[in-house]
Structures are given as C-alpha cells and as structure tokens.
C-alpha cells in the first residue's frame, strides 16, 4: 500500500517523456530530465547535475547463461550511461556453468557483478558482498520498499542478503497471459494438423507426436525429431522433474511435497518416476527420441530446437526462448510450441501453472571485489522507479509503444514486428541486464501492465494467425489458460530454493542423486524395452549408497523454518 501511495504521488509530477530526433536518420536523443539518477532521486529532475557530473564507471558483469552481446550503441544502455555515467562489460557463459563457477572460485578473481544459478557456491566461497548495508529506507527507498515485506525470504542462512531477486514481486492486479513455466510443449503445427485435440495424458501426448512423425518424417528437408530431453548440467531438470508434475505436484525441484503434511520426499527412485522413463524407453525404441539428446549441451539443444524439426519437449518456457525467437524470425511461427499440462492419467489434477513466487537467489549479486558497490545499488534503486521500469519493459513512448486517449499503452504493427527482430532487440532492448534487475511486475499505478505481453489488448493484438486459431480452438483467451487454474501457493513453496549448505551431507547427497540420474536414466531409456524392468531394479540399487534421508531432512527442516518465519 505504501508503494502504491508513493507511486501515485509521483504521477502528479511526472513529465511526459519527449523524443527528439537529430539529423536525418541519425542518432535519437531522449529527454531524460525527469528520470531517476545515481543518487536515487527520481522524476523531478532537481538533482540532475550531480548525476551527470558523477565520474564514469564501468562494471564488469558475469551472466551465468549464454547470450549475445548487446550492440555497442544499444539504446537502453546508452540512456543509462547518459543519465548515470555507468557502463557495463558483460561476460556470458560459454560451456558448463559448474566448471566456470569452479574456475572463478579457485582463482579468487571475480567480476564486479555476478549473476548465476550457483548462488550458494559463491556465497560459500565468500565471493558475494552482503547487500543490506547499502539498502535502507533513506538510501535506497525503492529497493527497500520493494523487498521490505520479504526480507526474511531473501536472507541467506547467515542472515545476510547477497542477491536481489529478479522476478516474483507483484503490484496491484495482474493477469497471467503468456506462459514461460514448466510444461510438456508441443509444436502448434502438430495440434493444428489433428484439429486441436484435447491432450491430457502422457500416452496421448506421445501418440500425437508419433502420428505426426508417421505423416511427416521430414520437416523442411530435415528428419523430424519427436521429443528432446535436455540432460545438461543444472538444466537437466528437463529430464529429472517431469515425473513430479505428471503425478500432479508443482515444481519443487528434486522432491514432491505433501500439501497437507508439508513433508517432502525424493521421487526419482519411486513409482512416480518409473512410468515416465518407461514411456521414454518406448518412445526411443519407436524412433521418437534420438540417442544424442542425452549428450547435447545447452547451445546444441537450442540449435536443434531452432531448426523447427523438434515436435516436443519438457522444459520451462524461458529456457528455450532463444529458439522460439529464432523460429519467429525465420517466419516459422507454426513450428513454435504450445504448453500442455498433461498427467499420467485423467484422474490426476495437473499442477503446472503456479502463482508467482519470489525468485530467491536469482538476480544481481555484488562481488567482494566490486569497485563501487554503493553506486551500483543506487543505480538499481533508481531503475526500480515506474518511469525506468516502463522504459526497460515497454521501451520509449512514441518510438517503441504508443499511448491511447485513455492512457493505455499499445504497439503499432511495426513496433510489434521489431520485437521479433533479434538484431533490433540487441540494439534497442536491455537484454540480460533487464532480465536480472528487480522488477515491478503486475500493474503500474496508471493501470498499464508491467510488460506488453501482460497487457490484454496488446497481448491479443500481437498474436499471429495460428495463435488466435489455437486459442479459439481451445476456447481460451490466453495461452496460460491451457495450463488450467493456478492454486494458492503453499506457504513454504517452492522447496527447490531451500539452501543445503556447503559440504553438508544433504549437499553431498543431492550431488550424488544428480549424478546417478544423469548417468543411469539415459541407459534405461536407450535399452531394450524387454529389459527395462530389470534395468529399473538395477537403477534402484544405485541409490542404496546415497544418504537420501540427509537430503530429505534438510529440505523438511527448511520447510518447517519457512512455515514458522514466512
């Protein structure tokens, strides 16, 4: 409520963002006089001089995911440099994240800013700088109010805050339109080919894929691939997690949690998992799955998806966004995928769509070697104002989006097409820098959605013909509705965020579980169907030497802590 009041008061003094053009087809200049600055002041522009007079500074940033470099004259980064005197040198992940993390920790040399899914490793190594000393109601009012209700959630076990969560903080009303969470995805063209059938079970899903492969053994001159199962580093949840959701549980990582008792248990070696891998074994022996799916790295996986020849996979939508964007850029929108919430049988209620949870331990962390941590935090604080959030999410008014007579944002067709152009986005969007920033998700104080994709009119207007046909066929307005209803989150949800501690029995057990699954599940799938059951018994034997109870106990301990403190 305080945030809402504060924002409303700011609206009264907001100036309209003006765009001016200089030269014929030359550089565009943006009037930023009303925007926040490095001192955390915002909207009024009364302290511009101090921001513009600040000495230039360049932060080195490691992003623990592969991506393309933004162009040197990227519009958003240029605006930040102009306003704050801050520039960045981004290093994106090449190869294996665990290996890269190990090298960084062993060397003891870190960039200024670190973004990594291996947050706990960096915390254990003392690589991160505690952030709470830089955050206060006076020094960083926007960040403080943003996270104040969730301080207990974002603190590490030692009581410090090391990472600013990038997603999961919502304001006002919000509608889930698009979907980037976990699902069994299937090419839209497959659904269209069979007149948009209801696909509710694992068997029906693979039957549909098989039928399409029989009819179309090639797509654009390439052999049709029925199903991919990414099995690479931490992204191997694509292989490990499906049994839980096929059994009607949400994404809690390596465990399922009883919603009544809040007791967690490992499922990879139970009857919840066996039917799924037996199905993949069947699919492999029918030629639906290629053996090399289990040795592909992430880049190779995206490259294969980008061909348009892959009919389906289990994954989270954000993880293959680059492949989807590539297909759209190639004019192959029909080869992109729609999410399905399938289960083992129709008696099981699917639980794929969840309510937004704070993305703990994911986002910007400041290393202990950062040259000026306070200034970076103040920059993040300023970028958390509504004005900057609109620029980062929607772009520049009049250039990237328009405003109608009721004050609602929308895009022209040309502006929408720009969003499908990879080269344009590298020059005009904030890329991973924006992705990793804290965000005002939900709805702005003027009623506009945080992102174009969440603005109902804009969402619908941006849809392609096949998307409209698909939604109409299933009688829904948004693609997210294909996943059903999102139940209220458990208070302790999600369990995958619970830290295990450095070198603890729980951490050792988790690593052993991970390695055992990645080593033996592919062998089960690639074996003869008549040997699957005996192979499964051998697979179960591999777990006897693993202290699974230690892992489960730590997860359950963390659940109880959350139930008490959250």
């Amino acid at each position: 409520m305080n945030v809402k009041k504060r924002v409303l008061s700011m609206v009264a003094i907001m100036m309209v963002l003006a765009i001016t053009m200089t030269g014929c087809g030359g550089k565009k200049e943006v009037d930023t006089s009303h925007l926040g600055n490095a001192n955390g002041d915002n909207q009024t522009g009364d302290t511009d001089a101090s921001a513009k007079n600040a000495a230039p500074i360049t932060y080195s940033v490691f992003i623990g995911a592969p991506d393309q470099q933004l162009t040197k004259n990227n519009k958003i980064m240029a605006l930040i440099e102009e306003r704050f005197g801050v520039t960045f040198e981004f290093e994106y992940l090449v190869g294996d994240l665990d290996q890269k993390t190990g090298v960084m920790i062993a060397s003891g040399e870190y960039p200024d800013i670190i973004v990594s899914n291996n947050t706990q490793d960096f915390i254990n190594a003392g690589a991160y700088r505690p952030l709470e000393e830089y955050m206060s109601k006076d020094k960083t009012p926007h960040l403080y109010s943003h996270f104040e209700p969730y301080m207990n959630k974002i603190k590490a076990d030692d009581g410090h805050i090391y990472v600013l969560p990038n997603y999961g903080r919502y304001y006002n009303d919000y509608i889930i339109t698009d979907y980037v969470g976990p699902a069994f995805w299937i090419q839209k063209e497959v659904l269209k080919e069979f007149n948009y059938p209801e696909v509710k079970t694992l068997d029906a899903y693979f039957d549909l894929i098989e039928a399409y492969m029989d009819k179309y053994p090639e797509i654009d001159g390439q052999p049709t691939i029925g199903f991919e199962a990414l099995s690479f580093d931490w992204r191997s949840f694509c292989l490990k997690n499906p049994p839980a959701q096929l059994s009607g549980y949400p994404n809690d990582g390596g465990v399922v949690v009883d919603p009544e008792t809040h007791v967690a248990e490992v499922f990879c070696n139970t009857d919840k998992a066996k039917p799924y891998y037996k199905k993949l074994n069947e699919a492999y022996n029918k030629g639906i799955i290629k053996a090399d799916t289990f040795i592909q790295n992430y880049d190779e996986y995206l490259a294969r998806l980008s061909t348009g020849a892959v009919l389906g996979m289990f994954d989270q939508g954000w993880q293959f966004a680059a492949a989807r964007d590539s297909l759209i850029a190639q004019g192959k929108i029909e080869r992109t995928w729609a999410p399905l919430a399938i289960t083992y049988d129709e008696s099981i209620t699917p639980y794929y769509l969840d309510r937004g949870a704070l993305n703990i331990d994911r986002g910007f962390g400041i290393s202990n070697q950062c040259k000026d941590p306070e200034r970076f935090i103040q920059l993040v604080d300023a970028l958390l104002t509504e004005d900057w959030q609109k620029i980062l999410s929607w772009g520049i008014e009049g250039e990237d989006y328009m405003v109608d007579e009721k004050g609602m944002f929308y895009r022209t067709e040309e502006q929408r097409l720009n969003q499908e152009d990879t080269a344009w986005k590298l020059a005009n969007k904030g890329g991973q820098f924006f992705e990793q920033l804290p965000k005002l998700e939900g709805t702005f104080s003027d009623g506009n959605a945080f992102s174009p994709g969440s603005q109902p009119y804009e969402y619908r207007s941006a849809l392609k013909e096949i998307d409209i046909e698909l939604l109409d066929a299933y009688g829904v307005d948004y693609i997210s509705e294909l996943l059903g209803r999102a139940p209220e989150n458990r208070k302790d949800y999600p369990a995958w965020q619970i830290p295990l501690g450095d070198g603890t029995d729980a951490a050792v057990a988790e690593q052993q579980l991970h390695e055992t699954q990645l080593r033996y599940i592919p062998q089960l799938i690639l074996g003869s169907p008549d040997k699957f059951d005996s192979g499964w018994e051998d697979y179960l034997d591999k777990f006897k030497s693993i202290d699974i109870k230690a892992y489960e106990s730590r997860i359950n301990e963390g659940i109880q802590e959350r139930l008490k403190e959250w």
Side-chain angles (χ1 to χ4, degrees), residues 241-252:
N241 286 8
Q245 300 202 276
L246 287 166
S247 302
Y249 291 89
N251 177 21
D252 276 298

Side-chain angles (χ1 to χ4, degrees), residues 467-495:
D467 292 314
I468 295 172
E469 182 178 311
L470 185 150
L471 296 182
D472 290 346
Y474 289 108
V476 298
D477 294 323
Y478 312 118
I479 201 75
S480 62
E481 293 179 272
L482 295 179
L483 284 304
R485 186 181 64 85
E488 291 290 341
N489 291 341
R490 299 190 324 269
K491 189 176 180 181
D492 54 279
Y493 179 77

Side-chain angles (χ1 to χ4, degrees), residues 249-468:
Y249 291 89
N251 177 21
D252 276 298
V255 297
V256 292
V257 180
D258 187 302
E260 301 298 327
T261 64
H262 297 272
V263 174
E265 65 174 6
V266 168
F267 61 85
C268 64
N269 59 339
T270 71
D271 287 342
K272 291 182 176 65
K274 183 179 179 181
Y276 179 59
Y277 299 121
K278 190 166 189 173
K279 190 67 184 179
L280 295 192
N281 169 265
E282 176 187 315
Y284 167 72
N285 282 282
K286 287 182 175 180
I288 295 173
I289 298 174
K290 294 183 66 174
D292 64 359
T293 190
F294 301 113
I295 59 173
Q296 289 184 114
N297 63 31
Y298 181 51
D299 291 338
E300 292 166 337
Y301 170 72
L302 291 179
R304 179 169 285 179
L305 295 186
S306 299
T307 65
V310 177
L311 303 186
M313 63 278 182
F314 177 93
D315 202 345
Q316 300 207 25
W318 54 264
Q319 179 154 260
F320 61 83
R324 180 197 60 210
D325 292 348
S326 173
L327 288 169
I328 292 173
Q330 296 173 56
K332 297 181 178 181
I333 184 71
E334 77 282 2
R335 298 297 176 190
T336 60
W337 305 267
L340 297 175
I342 63 175
T343 55
Y344 281 133
D345 63 64
E346 293 191 35
S347 69
I348 300 171
T349 301
Y351 194 160
Y352 287 79
L353 182 65
D354 60 11
R355 295 172 187 261
L358 201 62
N359 203 22
I360 297 170
D361 285 347
R362 300 290 186 270
F364 285 124
I366 297 178
S367 84
N368 59 21
Q369 294 163 17
C370 181
K371 57 180 70 72
D372 191 341
E374 185 168 11
R375 187 167 172 184
F376 180 77
I377 287 291
Q378 288 182 345
L379 169 67
V380 175
D381 182 74
L383 297 181
L384 202 51
T385 60
E386 282 205 352
D387 276 2
W388 272 106
Q389 290 284 295
K390 288 174 181 174
I391 288 176
L392 292 164
S393 183
W394 282 84
I396 304 298
E397 181 186 332
E399 184 174 325
D400 302 316
Y401 72 96
M402 314 300 283
V403 183
D404 69 17
E405 65 279 6
K406 295 181 179 178
M408 302 307 292
F409 299 173
Y410 68 97
R411 285 171 168 163
T412 65
E413 187 58 25
E414 180 183 0
Q415 290 166 342
R416 291 177 192 127
L417 289 174
N418 284 339
Q419 310 302 317
E420 301 174 7
D421 185 333
T422 302
W424 184 91
K425 288 195 290 187
L426 291 173
N428 293 277
K429 304 285 286 185
Q432 282 290 333
F433 177 75
F434 169 57
E435 289 295 320
Q436 303 305 331
L437 280 171
K439 301 173 184 65
L440 304 180
E441 293 180 86
T443 309
F444 292 121
S445 56
D446 60 10
N448 283 292
F450 165 74
S451 66
S454 299
Q455 188 100 317
Y457 172 79
E458 184 54 33
Y459 171 82
R460 190 77 183 184
S461 299
L463 293 176
K464 303 300 183 184
E465 183 177 342
I466 193 170
D467 292 314
I468 295 172

Side-chain angles (χ1 to χ4, degrees), residues 58-62 87-91 110-114 367 371:
T58 298
Y59 288 101
S60 56
V61 183
F62 171 69
T87 55
F88 298 92
E89 291 179 350
F90 294 103
E91 177 191 359
Y110 305 106
D112 296 306
I113 312 299
I114 302 172
S367 84
K371 57 180 70 72

Side-chain angles (χ1 to χ4, degrees), residues 120-131:
Q120 196 59 45
D121 291 337
F122 286 109
I123 292 175
N124 295 339
Y128 281 132
R129 185 186 295 268
L131 302 180

Side-chain angles (χ1 to χ4, degrees), residues 29 38 79-80 92 95 127-128 149 157 285 297 346 391 430 516 536 539 546:
E29 293 184 350
L79 195 58
I80 290 173
Y92 299 102
Y128 281 132
D157 283 350
N285 282 282
N297 63 31
E346 293 191 35
I391 288 176
T516 300
W536 179 260
Y539 167 74
I546 301 174

